[in-house]
Amino acid sequence: MAPDYRFTPSERQRSKLFSPELRKATFLVSSPMVMARAVARYARADPRLHCRVSSPGTPDLQPFELFIGLRYTRAKRRNHFISVIALISMLGIALGVMALIVVLSVMNGFQKELRARILGVASHVQISGVGNRLVPWREVMQQAQNHPDVIAAAPFVMAQSMLSFGSNVQGAVIRGIDPAAEAKVADVGRHMKAGSLDLLKPGEFGIVLGAELARALAVRPGETVVLIAAQGQVTPAGILPRLRQFRVVGIFEVGMYEYDFGLAYINIEDAQRLYRMGDAISGVRLRLDDLMAAPRVAREIAMQLPPETYVVDWTRSHANFFRAVEIEKRVMFIILTLIVAVATFNIVSALVMAVTDKQADIAILRTLGAAPRSVMKIFMVQGALMGVFGTLAGVAAGIVLALNIDVVVPFIEQTFGIRFLAKDVYYISDLPSDLQWHDVVVIASVSLVLTLAATLYPSWRAARVNPAEALRYE
């Protein structure tokens, strides 16, 4: 049975408000043959043009709003300027999305690289005692090692002292370590420029200096420095500082100025003897199988240890640094999102001009019975397609560039003879990249939301077009 294409009484009543010429056009369009052909073209079918045209055994046609929106996107326009603006809008969105993905990936890479360098010297979790003394430390270390997330533990002695070589004097943090255990919780051994941590043998009073500290003292491996302990010794002449000569057996460079300039290693037994700690130590350093679980593991270990022990994880000991990096990452995300927002303004311009150019088409659709919300959906589809194409292009380009930035950047540097990160200035001379799919999803979602929001005003204007005024001079 053929569907009825006649207007409803309410729509017929509204048509009486139109001009005689428009009522005549409405009557012609409302004739069964012409009406069926027009409605079938736009894929609408019930008396109020809200159902699909279908017959038994045939699939339903797509919604006419999507059909016309796709048709408007593909069709050649009389005004080519609108097409240029639409193309610029898509390119702007693609550029903004690509920039967001690449910049956030590079910042993730820097954060990962810096975290690796910091944790190459620092520990995931550190247990210390009151007054820089932990007793009995063997029981504490055993309890910590019993935790399933702890894979290694190492004792240490830490104190502040001064190092002297000739006329040069520098302050430093002296860390007494067990070389065999320290290799399991830190990666300093992989950053040795000269010598080795294994040369720190008890009783031989060897010392390993940071590269910047050795440069400030003007000392080389094999030479002897004087360590001045802050704890003095009482003599008839008064309190005198304790002095001890140490032979430089190694130099390390981890790439962090804080450690390269202010840290030195000695054997833990030599440190206990120098600082008169007896069998006590300063604390225990732990290495975990998952460094991101450090806050949870630290809380669980603290609940099992005596109350006079302090348990600190790396997120607290370096909280200011990593918080600053995270804030910078968020600020860059907001700033670069503005690029996408600016591109969406071009979508607004393109759709406003498209609405002006298609007023006659809108009037005909309204005359055929299309509801205002249907007209609104048509232009929302058209604008959303610009955003989808631009976002997909930006995501693809951003992923490719982020994954190959270690190839692209050297190519640009060699082609133009420039250097972005000079080795003599920056500790990290290459641009690291760490693409995280969570960031890609968030960026794409933000872009699509901004694009959809940009289509609302032009589509609302299209829905408010008066058919009689639009067709008066047609």
Side-chain angles (χ1 to χ4, degrees):
M1 180 178 180
D4 186 6
Y5 296 106
R6 292 174 298 177
F7 283 128
T8 62
S10 60
E11 290 170 337
R12 192 179 302 110
Q13 183 67 26
R14 288 198 301 269
S15 67
K16 295 180 180 179
L17 301 177
F18 300 156
S19 61
E21 292 82 3
L22 187 57
R23 287 205 306 270
K24 182 178 180 181
T26 304
F27 172 76
L28 292 175
V29 177
S30 301
S31 62
M33 185 64 69
V34 178
M35 183 70 173
R37 191 178 301 122
V39 174
R41 180 182 178 183
Y42 295 117
R44 301 289 286 180
D46 68 357
R48 295 183 59 86
L49 304 178
H50 283 286
C51 71
R52 304 170 184 263
V53 177
S54 63
S55 59
T58 60
D60 291 349
L61 298 177
Q62 58 184 325
F64 94 103
E65 297 96 341
L66 178 61
F67 178 83
I68 299 177
L70 293 173
R71 182 69 177 270
Y72 279 176
T73 305
R74 299 192 306 266
K76 295 182 179 180
R77 296 181 175 87
R78 296 187 299 270
N79 189 351
H80 296 285
F81 185 64
I82 302 177
S83 301
V84 172
I85 292 181
L87 180 61
I88 293 175
S89 302
M90 288 187 287
L91 291 178
I93 293 174
L95 179 63
V97 171
M98 181 190 71
L100 265 172
I101 293 176
V102 173
V103 170
L104 291 186
S105 298
V106 171
M107 294 194 69
N108 291 332
F110 272 111
Q111 187 176 14
K112 183 178 180 180
E113 183 71 18
L114 290 173
R115 183 170 59 238
R117 296 195 177 195
I118 289 176
L119 297 181
V121 179
S123 57
H124 295 173
V125 177
Q126 179 174 303
I127 304 173
S128 57
V130 179
N132 200 32
R133 284 176 173 268
L134 183 62
V135 180
W137 61 271
R138 290 181 177 83
E139 290 79 358
V140 172
M141 187 170 70
Q142 184 61 42
Q143 287 182 345
Q145 286 181 313
N146 291 335
H147 194 283
D149 293 325
V150 176
I151 59 177
F156 71 94
V157 172
M158 189 166 60
Q160 294 184 351
S161 301
M162 297 186 67
L163 295 173
S164 174
F165 180 75
S167 60
N168 300 319
V169 180
Q170 292 291 334
V173 174
I174 307 300
R175 181 179 294 172
I177 62 171
D178 179 0
E182 186 70 14
K184 300 178 182 179
V185 299
D187 300 327
V188 180
R190 297 190 301 178
H191 299 281
M192 298 296 298
K193 296 185 64 178
S196 171
L197 290 178
D198 295 331
L199 297 176
L200 296 176
K201 298 180 180 180
E204 295 186 1
F205 295 97
I207 189 171
V208 174
L209 304 177
E212 296 295 333
L213 181 59
R215 189 175 295 113
L217 293 172
V219 65
R220 292 176 296 180
E223 297 179 329
T224 301
V225 297
V226 177
L227 191 151
I228 306 171
Q231 296 85 352
Q233 55 185 353
V234 180
T235 66
I239 299 178
L240 299 178
R242 290 197 300 274
L243 307 178
R244 183 70 192 187
Q245 290 185 341
F246 282 79
R247 184 172 60 89
V248 178
V249 297
I251 295 176
F252 69 89
E253 184 176 15
V254 297
M256 293 294 295
Y257 187 81
E258 175 186 356
Y259 298 122
D260 292 340
F261 184 75
L263 183 62
Y265 289 98
I266 62 176
N267 188 274
I268 188 170
E269 295 184 13
D270 295 341
Q272 289 174 324
R273 187 179 301 112
L274 176 65
Y275 298 111
R276 297 181 177 177
M277 299 186 67
D279 189 53
I281 63 172
S282 298
V284 176
R285 290 151 50 83
L286 306 178
R287 189 182 188 92
L288 310 180
D289 56 356
D290 181 11
L291 63 90
M292 303 308 296
R296 174 183 58 82
V297 175
R299 289 193 301 268
E300 294 175 355
I301 292 178
M303 296 175 62
Q304 301 174 0
L305 297 180
E308 60 270 13
T309 57
Y310 298 99
V311 182
V312 180
D313 64 272
W314 67 270
T315 62
R316 293 176 58 189
S317 58
H318 299 83
N320 292 335
F321 179 79
F322 288 106
R323 190 179 296 116
V325 174
E326 188 65 27
I327 291 175
E328 183 179 1
K329 178 181 175 181
R330 294 182 182 181
V331 171
M332 290 299 298
F333 177 82
I334 295 174
I335 293 175
L336 293 177
T337 302
L338 296 178
I339 298 177
V340 181
V342 170
T344 58
F345 281 108
N346 291 331
I347 292 181
V348 175
S349 303
L351 287 181
V352 168
M353 287 188 290
V355 169
T356 304
D357 187 57
K358 299 293 186 181
Q359 282 193 356
D361 295 358
I362 296 172
I364 294 175
L365 288 174
R366 291 295 307 280
T367 304
L368 290 174
R373 63 175 179 273
S374 297
V375 176
M376 189 173 181
K377 290 178 183 179
I378 291 173
F379 289 93
M380 288 181 67
V381 168
Q382 186 178 358
L385 287 175
M386 298 181 193
V388 170
F389 291 150
T391 300
L392 291 179
V395 168
I399 292 175
V400 171
L401 185 56
L403 293 177
N404 297 277
I405 199 167
D406 56 337
V407 177
V408 175
V409 172
F411 174 78
I412 296 176
E413 292 177 341
Q414 294 177 3
T415 303
F416 296 98
I418 60 176
R419 184 71 179 175
F420 293 114
L421 299 175
K423 291 184 178 180
D424 55 346
V425 178
Y426 301 98
Y427 287 111
I428 301 178
S429 57
D430 299 323
L431 280 178
S433 178
D434 181 22
L435 180 65
Q436 297 183 3
W437 295 108
H438 173 266
D439 291 339
V440 175
V441 173
V442 171
I443 292 170
S445 301
V446 170
S447 175
L448 293 176
V449 169
L450 289 176
T451 303
L452 187 61
T455 64
L456 295 178
Y457 173 71
S459 302
W460 177 76
R461 282 195 56 181
R464 290 174 58 86
V465 170
N466 190 336
E469 292 294 332
L471 294 176
R472 175 170 295 178
Y473 303 106
E474 292 293 332

